[in-house]
């Protein structure tokens, strides 16, 4: 889901002047969530190098690899000792490369309209 265009977006943009319009509130929330997600994926990429090498895999395979890595990561976090060190446990995973040139396009015009309407609905609730 994309942020609103031509509306302040970056977290630093809101330090002095807080968001007022629903679009600004949505963009601020979007930017904050994006930062959290990027940090989480950085942690996963450190532990699971396969996550940095997936562009040639189909969307379904990429999704399954990410879910598996997150599950293993969460299991290790739960059962490792209390002083968790992400560099301590590095897991090497080999996945056979696959290509799917006939894979369907993920988002068409209808999906874009749906996502824009959903974004407007979320913005109205903020």
């Amino acid at each position: 889901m994309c942020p609103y265009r031509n509306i302040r977006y970056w977290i630093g943009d809101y330090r002095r002047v807080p968001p007022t319009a629903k679009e600004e509130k949505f963009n601020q929330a979007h930017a904050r969530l994006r930062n959290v997600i990027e940090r989480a994926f950085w942690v996963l990429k450190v532990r699971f190098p396969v996550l940095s090498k997936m562009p040639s895999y189909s969307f379904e395979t990429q999704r399954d690899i990410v879910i598996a890595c997150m599950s293993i990561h969460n299991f290790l976090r739960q059962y490792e000792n209390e002083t968790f060190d992400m560099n301590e446990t590095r897991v090497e995973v080999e996945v056979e490369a696959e290509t799917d040139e006939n894979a369907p396009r993920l988002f068409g015009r209808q999906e874009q309209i749906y996502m824009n309407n959903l974004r407007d609905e979320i913005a109205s609730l903020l």
Side-chain angles (χ1 to χ4, degrees):
M1 184 175 301
C2 298
Y4 286 98
R5 295 180 128 202
N6 302 319
I7 305 288
R8 292 187 295 165
Y9 179 74
W10 302 107
I11 293 174
D13 295 344
Y14 295 103
R15 286 198 178 111
R16 293 185 183 169
V17 180
T20 54
K22 69 176 186 171
E23 293 85 2
E24 288 182 331
K25 290 178 182 179
F26 178 86
N27 279 5
Q28 182 188 38
H30 189 280
R32 286 180 173 172
L33 183 58
R34 180 180 175 177
N35 283 343
V36 170
I37 291 169
E38 285 178 357
R39 281 194 308 270
F41 273 97
W42 178 82
V43 168
L44 288 172
K45 284 181 177 184
V46 167
R47 181 170 262 192
F48 302 98
V50 69
L51 294 174
S52 299
K53 304 171 188 169
M54 289 200 304
S56 62
Y57 303 138
S58 71
F59 175 78
E60 290 78 14
T61 301
Q62 290 183 35
R63 178 201 59 214
D64 293 345
I65 291 171
V66 170
I67 291 170
C69 290
M70 287 180 159
S71 299
I72 294 168
H73 173 78
N74 289 339
F75 176 84
L76 292 172
R77 291 263 339 238
Q78 183 175 359
Y79 292 103
E80 282 180 332
N81 62 19
E82 295 298 318
T83 57
F84 172 68
D85 180 9
M86 71 180 168
N87 294 319
E88 197 172 288
T89 308
R90 225 178 122 99
V91 180
E92 295 290 333
V93 179
E94 288 293 325
V95 180
E96 217 173 281
E98 66 177 58
T99 57
D100 187 2
E101 295 174 6
N102 298 322
R105 191 169 158 216
L106 293 178
F107 294 108
R109 183 71 186 136
Q110 287 180 322
E111 288 83 5
Q112 289 174 347
I113 291 170
Y114 171 78
M115 293 302 278
N116 287 342
N117 291 337
L118 182 60
R119 178 186 63 193
D120 291 341
E121 186 177 331
I122 293 169
S124 297
L125 296 172
L126 294 176

